[in-house]
Amino acid sequence: MSSNKSLLILPGDGIGPEVMDQVVRVADWFGRERAVKFDLDDGMVGGAALDAEGTAMPDAVMAKARASDAVMFGAVGGPKWDANPFHLKPEQGLLRLRKELDLFANLRPALCFEALAEASSLKADLVSGLDIVIVRELTGGGSFSETVADGNRKGVDTQLYTTPEIHRIARVAFDLARKRRNLVHSSEKSNVMHTGVLWREEVTAIHEAEFSDVELRHILADNCAMQLVRAPKQFDVIVTDNLFGDMLSDVAAMLTGSLGMLPSASLGAEDPATGKRHALYEPVHGSAPDIAGQGVANPLASILSFAMALRYSFDLGEEADMVEAAVAGVLADGLRTGDLAQANTQRVNTAEMGDAVLRGMEKAAG
Ligand code: NAD
């Protein structure tokens, strides 16, 4: 079956290429076994692109990203480029993608696989069965800092949100909740911040106008952080701004055990003509220079990011379920890469973990 499912693979640096190899194997499996074909292309980003072309995001790669249905991104950075000036940092590649594709909605699921409940820093019963998503506004908000020379140095950060920015991220969160357990917590600091007051009012307005079937609760960001470590299963979808989202998603990340397990998606606005939106999927972890080149990195965060691409960019929910079930099965069978290794588990390398996921999918396909 031919298809128009275009997927751009940007492996990047460090362990990026190692984990992305496993994603390509999973994508190929669908083409071979399920007649779900992806048009795969690839390109250089980050340090690799800096070395080859002098820029962390070559124009030709950017053009491919614009034209593709989804981008799978590995990781960028490493000690080799740490001393580079800001405009020649590998991270500029990712920043350009986010900016030019206007990826304003960052989805960070925190899903605790049963077999890993013991690996969480919280008690297993608090996280067992945990399945939440943090929807972080990614392009607006704060962090515009400047220093003013008047004898003293001053650092100034401006937090700014507009109603359209709040409306579009709220819609993403409510839409997502409708496909899940129908509950949205909107988190801000309306007790001390004007942007917080605006956020609360505008999320409420969108809720009343378009999503009154979804339950909405407001929660102050400090309380939200506390509740995430006290009783995380009370949440379904949490929508929040750029700054609080940065912190809350890292808190939620630790509930699930390892950095090597965490996928993410960043989505752009829906094109009214085609119904499509730009999307980038990436593991939350970085390029892990300490283990790069050894073939031991955990590929599951990247494989789970691909499952998110199946669900959100290609409307292939059943196939996404298959990948997630295969990952859960592999963990239940006791296979672990080094980052997850515990007593009574079998240590595997990156490719062996990929093999095991493919075996799990074959089993599921019958
Ligand atoms: P990191 O996520 O790369 O590594 C942190 C620790 O977790 C390391 O010990 C690493 O070995 C381990 N780890 C991470 N992913 C793993 C995996 N899949 N399997 C097994 N172990 C894993 O974070 P860092 O050390 O702070 O940063 C290293 C480099 O990555 C830096 O150059 C940083 O700028 C970059 N970085 C890039 C991204 C990105 O591309 N989105 C994100 C974060 C950091």
Side-chain angles (χ1 to χ4, degrees), residues 122-200:
L122 295 193
K123 292 193 190 89
D125 63 313
L126 287 184
V127 295
S128 171
L130 179 75
D131 177 6
I132 64 182
V133 181
I134 299 199
V135 177
R136 168 187 172 193
E137 203 290 328
L138 198 60
T139 50
S143 301
F144 306 107
S145 62
E146 59 189 45
T147 50
V148 183
D150 59 353
N152 292 311
R153 296 177 65 222
K154 285 183 186 169
V156 181
D157 299 301
T158 311
Q159 168 91 346
L160 187 149
Y161 269 107
T162 62
T163 49
E165 284 174 325
I166 299 171
H167 288 181
R168 66 179 186 172
I169 193 76
R171 286 193 179 99
V172 170
F174 286 125
D175 264 335
L176 188 63
R178 274 184 176 156
K179 295 177 193 136
R180 296 170 46 91
R181 297 191 302 281
N182 229 31
L183 171 64
V184 171
H185 280 80
S186 171
S187 185
E188 27 61 14
K189 285 287 285 174
S190 55
N191 52 343
V192 290
M193 294 172 76
H194 286 298
T195 45
V197 174
L198 185 74
W199 186 278
R200 186 175 286 224

Side-chain angles (χ1 to χ4, degrees), residues 22 25 70 78 118 141 150-151 156 185 245 251 256 282 295 309 316-317 336:
Q22 306 310 313
R25 293 177 71 199
E118 294 292 341
D150 59 353
V156 181
H185 280 80
V251 174
T256 67
E282 57 177 326
L316 293 168
R336 302 280 189 278

Side-chain angles (χ1 to χ4, degrees), residues 15 19 73-79 82 91 94 259-260 282-291 296-299 339:
I15 62 169
V19 294
F73 190 93
V76 291
D82 276 354
E91 288 75 9
L94 185 55
L259 208 49
E282 57 177 326
V284 167
H285 62 71
S287 58
D290 52 335
I291 56 166
V296 296
N298 184 350
D339 55 317

Side-chain angles (χ1 to χ4, degrees), residues 9-340:
I9 309 272
L10 301 180
D13 308 317
I15 62 169
E18 299 168 37
V19 294
M20 278 301 132
D21 279 351
Q22 306 310 313
V23 168
V24 170
R25 293 177 71 199
V26 175
D28 284 346
W29 184 91
F30 279 110
R32 224 173 35 244
E33 304 291 331
R34 303 275 292 196
V36 177
K37 281 209 165 34
F38 295 94
D39 300 327
L40 297 183
D41 198 354
D42 57 23
M44 272 192 286
V45 277
L50 274 168
D51 286 353
E53 305 200 23
T55 165
M57 173 49 73
D59 290 341
V61 178
M62 193 63 230
K64 282 185 188 182
R66 253 187 235 107
S68 64
D69 292 327
V71 177
M72 289 291 320
F73 190 93
V76 291
K80 183 173 179 192
W81 307 282
D82 276 354
N84 280 17
F86 191 70
H87 70 286
L88 292 177
K89 293 266 188 210
E91 288 75 9
Q92 289 300 323
L94 185 55
L95 295 180
R96 182 172 176 196
L97 270 171
R98 285 185 181 156
K99 188 159 176 245
E100 294 193 17
L101 300 183
D102 195 17
L103 303 172
F104 70 92
N106 184 222
L107 274 53
R108 291 260 303 253
L111 186 99
C112 186
F113 288 94
E114 214 50 49
L116 294 183
E118 294 292 341
S120 168
S121 51
L122 295 193
K123 292 193 190 89
D125 63 313
L126 287 184
V127 295
S128 171
L130 179 75
D131 177 6
I132 64 182
V133 181
I134 299 199
V135 177
R136 168 187 172 193
E137 203 290 328
L138 198 60
T139 50
S143 301
F144 306 107
S145 62
E146 59 189 45
T147 50
V148 183
D150 59 353
N152 292 311
R153 296 177 65 222
K154 285 183 186 169
V156 181
D157 299 301
T158 311
Q159 168 91 346
L160 187 149
Y161 269 107
T162 62
T163 49
E165 284 174 325
I166 299 171
H167 288 181
R168 66 179 186 172
I169 193 76
R171 286 193 179 99
V172 170
F174 286 125
D175 264 335
L176 188 63
R178 274 184 176 156
K179 295 177 193 136
R180 296 170 46 91
R181 297 191 302 281
N182 229 31
L183 171 64
V184 171
H185 280 80
S186 171
S187 185
E188 27 61 14
K189 285 287 285 174
S190 55
N191 52 343
V192 290
M193 294 172 76
H194 286 298
T195 45
V197 174
L198 185 74
W199 186 278
R200 186 175 286 224
E201 288 174 359
E202 295 303 328
V203 170
T204 303
I206 287 295
H207 176 248
E208 280 170 9
E210 301 173 25
F211 297 95
S212 56
D213 55 304
V214 179
E215 187 179 348
L216 169 64
R217 295 184 199 161
H218 298 282
I219 185 167
L220 296 178
D222 46 348
N223 185 30
C224 192
M226 197 167 74
Q227 295 299 328
L228 273 171
V229 290
R230 192 187 73 83
K233 284 189 266 185
Q234 68 185 288
F235 296 107
D236 177 16
V237 174
I238 298 171
V239 63
T240 189
D241 71 18
N242 203 341
L243 180 64
F244 295 132
D246 192 14
M247 294 186 273
L248 294 175
S249 55
D250 272 16
V251 174
M254 273 325 291
L255 303 176
T256 67
S258 163
L259 208 49
M261 292 301 302
L262 292 166
S264 78
S266 300
L267 308 177
E270 197 171 274
D271 180 331
T274 63
K276 288 185 175 182
R277 44 171 104 226
H278 288 304
L280 178 137
Y281 300 87
E282 57 177 326
V284 167
H285 62 71
S287 58
D290 52 335
I291 56 166
Q294 299 173 22
V296 296
N298 184 350
L300 295 180
S302 295
I303 291 175
L304 291 170
S305 300
F306 177 62
M308 291 186 84
L310 292 172
R311 200 180 299 285
Y312 297 121
S313 283
F314 300 115
D315 205 17
L316 293 168
E318 205 181 303
E319 284 75 5
D321 288 345
M322 266 180 88
V323 175
E324 287 164 358
V327 169
V330 163
L331 295 171
D333 288 344
L335 302 189
R336 302 280 189 278
T337 40
D339 55 317
L340 297 173

